Amino acid sequence: MKVTIYGSGYVGLVTGVCLAEVGNDVLCMDIDAGKIGLLRQGKSPIHEPGLDELLKENIVAGRLGFTTDVEQAVRHAALQVIAVGTPPDEDGSADLSHVLAVAEGIAAHMDEYRVVVGKSTVPVGTADKVRQKMSDALQQRGMDIEFDVVSNPEFLKEGAAIEDFMKPDRIVVGADNEKAVSQLKKLYAPFSRSHGKLMVMDIRSAELTKYAANAMLATKISFMNELANLAERVGADIEQVRIGIGSDPRIGYKFIYPGCGYGGSCFPKDVRALERTAKGVEYEAELLQAVESVNNRQKRILFQKLSAYFDGKLKGKRIALWGLAFKPNTDDMREASSQVFIECALSEGAEVCVYDPVAADEARRIYGQRKGLELCDSKEEAVKGADALVIVTEWAEFRSPDFDRIKADLKNPLIFDGRNLYDPKHMQAEGIIYYAIGRGCSSVR
């Protein structure tokens, strides 16, 4: 099938590459000429395991192309997929200007039937706005051309997006016309051969499903962080509690790991947008407000533990920070807990020496030559001469470090672990003062 995808960011690029991989003729359109230039050379602007290889292979095979020409993009295919960003406005609501601009552009150039597929994360009712925008644009042209608008939200995890697309848990399609549904069934047939993964529902339910999924996962994380903070105060070990409740199949083990807060481009934005949607229909979503409040508080917990240990005297202290990305296997630092820690530490006069396997370039883009912040080339370099080690991202290379070297390199054998990577008893045996989340302290000062 021929497919056009608008937006060559995270969702658009992964979608385009994976659709091309199974044999489709895909054209990705983006207004960023610099990005399109890089993509034509087979260079991905984002870090995602497996993406670079598939990108190059499909370009060479002639199944994947890139353009900045809207007219070319519209004429390329009957399936027009919108995967542009929906950044939050100041009030937390999703900014639909890019989505609606694409819809208007499609209507301005189409001359026959098109199926407009919304893959961007958008509030309930967006499909209606897209349909109205296109109808208005067609009317201005004096044209009466049939088209359908479909909601097809993505459920990709950063760091595992290729596998998620190729082997999806579910494929949600919101549509009100069987003609459009048949096109989507044909498109996704290669991805749902083992059993029926494609779920057809009404458009508004499909739009809400995306927000509901992310809000539910964010809720589980905030709930566990709330329990972890309680566990510390009552002398319980949240890891044992996690195992105890996770064994219940109604709860399960996924997304019940406490830590120093969630981040990224989805959970924070989508929880706020869903809150805003609720307010728009005069409903107070108290649980969603609590989820966000708990998360914002949790992002400060490592700094608070560090500050308390040094009695608030952090000026001149050298702090090693392992991890910048909001999660492993990505360079995405949007709303990452690392940024909150860095700002808090620098504001108190501490020096922060940071190491992340892939997010260094993104950190340079964000911070530039920020005074007091040093980007290191290895985790060992970051630790050398530091007063304490703080861990915010659970990269695989942090899981089994050389603790003897860490003790030798640190001024104090002191670790603040925001992802509960280590066993407190092991840390105590190693002679390391270890603060985790919901597990107390492994050693007495």
Side-chain angles (χ1 to χ4, degrees):
M1 301 181 73
K2 287 191 173 185
V3 184
T4 292
I5 298 175
Y6 296 89
S8 296
Y10 189 85
V11 174
L13 186 56
V14 170
T15 299
V17 166
C18 290
L19 289 176
E21 176 67 10
V22 296
N24 295 296
D25 179 359
V26 180
L27 181 64
C28 294
M29 185 272 167
D30 200 292
I31 60 174
D32 187 336
K35 182 186 292 185
I36 291 298
L38 283 175
L39 288 167
R40 284 173 174 165
Q41 298 173 47
K43 298 178 181 178
S44 171
I46 61 174
H47 176 84
E48 179 63 36
L51 181 59
D52 287 350
E53 296 80 3
L54 291 182
L55 174 64
K56 293 172 184 175
E57 289 172 8
N58 283 284
I59 290 174
V60 171
R63 294 188 296 264
L64 182 62
F66 299 93
T67 186
T68 58
D69 187 335
V70 178
E71 184 174 359
Q72 179 190 1
V74 175
R75 294 186 183 282
H76 177 74
L79 283 173
Q80 302 274 303
V81 180
I82 302 178
V84 294
T86 53
D89 276 336
E90 292 183 4
D91 63 358
S93 61
D95 180 357
L96 299 178
S97 60
H98 302 302
V99 171
L100 297 178
V102 171
E104 188 172 30
I106 295 171
H109 296 287
M110 62 187 281
D111 54 13
E112 58 183 323
Y113 177 72
R114 291 289 181 264
V115 179
V116 179
V117 182
K119 193 165 277 293
S120 302
T121 301
V122 295
V124 176
T126 298
D128 294 337
K129 294 180 180 179
V130 167
R131 183 180 286 110
Q132 187 61 54
K133 177 67 73 173
M134 292 184 65
S135 296
D136 291 345
L138 286 171
Q139 187 175 17
Q140 288 179 4
R141 292 175 59 198
M143 305 288 284
D144 184 15
I145 304 172
E146 182 187 6
F147 68 91
D148 281 306
V149 179
V150 175
S151 174
N152 175 220
E154 54 84 18
F155 299 96
L156 306 177
K157 298 187 296 291
E158 290 193 43
I162 300 295
E163 183 178 2
D164 284 348
F165 198 101
M166 302 301 283
K167 300 177 181 178
D169 296 321
R170 76 285 207 195
I171 301 167
V172 173
V173 173
D176 53 14
N177 188 323
E178 185 56 39
K179 183 178 180 180
V181 171
S182 66
Q183 292 288 305
L184 271 294
K185 285 182 177 179
K186 182 179 178 183
L187 180 68
Y188 284 115
F191 306 99
S192 58
R193 298 183 68 183
S194 56
H195 57 85
K197 296 180 180 179
L198 193 143
M199 307 171 186
V200 179
M201 59 186 72
D202 66 88
I203 294 174
R204 286 183 170 239
S205 294
E207 290 173 331
L208 183 57
T209 296
K210 169 62 178 180
Y211 276 127
N214 280 351
M216 173 61 80
L217 296 174
T219 299
K220 293 182 74 172
I221 294 171
S222 280
F223 178 74
M224 285 305 295
N225 284 335
E226 196 85 297
L227 282 184
N229 296 336
L230 179 60
E232 284 192 3
R233 288 160 174 77
V234 299
D237 183 347
I238 193 60
E239 177 62 12
Q240 295 182 43
V241 174
R242 183 188 69 80
I243 294 171
I245 66 174
S247 61
D248 186 330
R250 296 171 300 175
I251 298 173
Y253 289 106
K254 292 184 178 180
F255 278 83
I256 60 169
Y257 290 88
C260 52
Y262 61 76
S265 63
C266 295
F267 288 6
K269 173 175 72 72
D270 293 353
V271 169
R272 287 194 293 266
L274 194 53
E275 282 183 61
R276 185 64 184 174
T277 296
K279 288 182 179 179
V281 292
E282 299 182 350
Y283 179 74
E284 198 74 17
E286 296 179 5
L287 180 57
L288 295 177
Q289 294 169 12
V291 168
E292 183 180 14
S293 175
V294 168
N295 190 59
N296 290 337
R297 182 181 64 192
Q298 200 70 10
K299 287 182 177 182
R300 299 177 60 87
I301 196 167
L302 287 175
F303 175 77
Q304 290 168 349
K305 288 175 180 286
L306 177 75
S307 181
Y309 182 87
F310 287 108
D311 298 321
K313 301 173 183 177
L314 291 176
K315 187 174 183 178
K317 298 293 183 184
R318 182 180 173 91
I319 308 301
L321 183 67
W322 282 3
L324 286 165
F326 83 95
K327 63 182 288 188
N329 299 319
T330 181
D331 61 352
D332 193 344
M333 288 178 59
R334 284 175 288 185
E335 305 221 28
S337 299
S338 62
Q339 293 203 58
V340 175
F341 180 85
I342 288 170
E343 292 298 337
C344 289
L346 293 180
S347 69
E348 292 298 316
E351 297 178 18
V352 184
C353 306
V354 178
Y355 169 71
D356 188 285
V358 303
D361 287 342
E362 179 65 4
R364 290 187 185 94
R365 185 190 69 80
I366 294 171
Y367 293 108
Q369 300 295 321
R370 183 76 175 270
K371 184 179 179 181
L373 181 64
E374 179 184 346
L375 297 178
C376 301
D377 295 327
S378 69
K379 61 182 186 293
E380 292 81 12
E381 181 187 347
V383 169
K384 191 75 173 179
D387 292 281
L389 168 61
V390 177
I391 304 171
V392 296
T393 312
E394 62 274 34
W395 284 98
E397 67 177 272
F398 300 159
R399 292 185 178 275
S400 297
D402 184 340
F403 290 110
D404 288 333
R405 181 168 180 176
I406 288 175
K407 286 189 294 181
D409 286 344
L410 285 173
K411 292 180 182 177
N412 308 289
L414 178 61
I415 297 178
F416 295 87
D417 182 1
R419 299 301 175 188
N420 289 0
L421 297 183
Y422 313 129
D423 183 345
K425 291 181 180 179
H426 182 207
M427 293 296 95
Q428 190 170 29
E430 290 279 357
I432 293 174
I433 303 170
Y434 179 66
Y435 289 88
I437 306 296
R439 309 197 74 181
C441 176
S442 67
S443 181
V444 179
R445 287 177 61 181

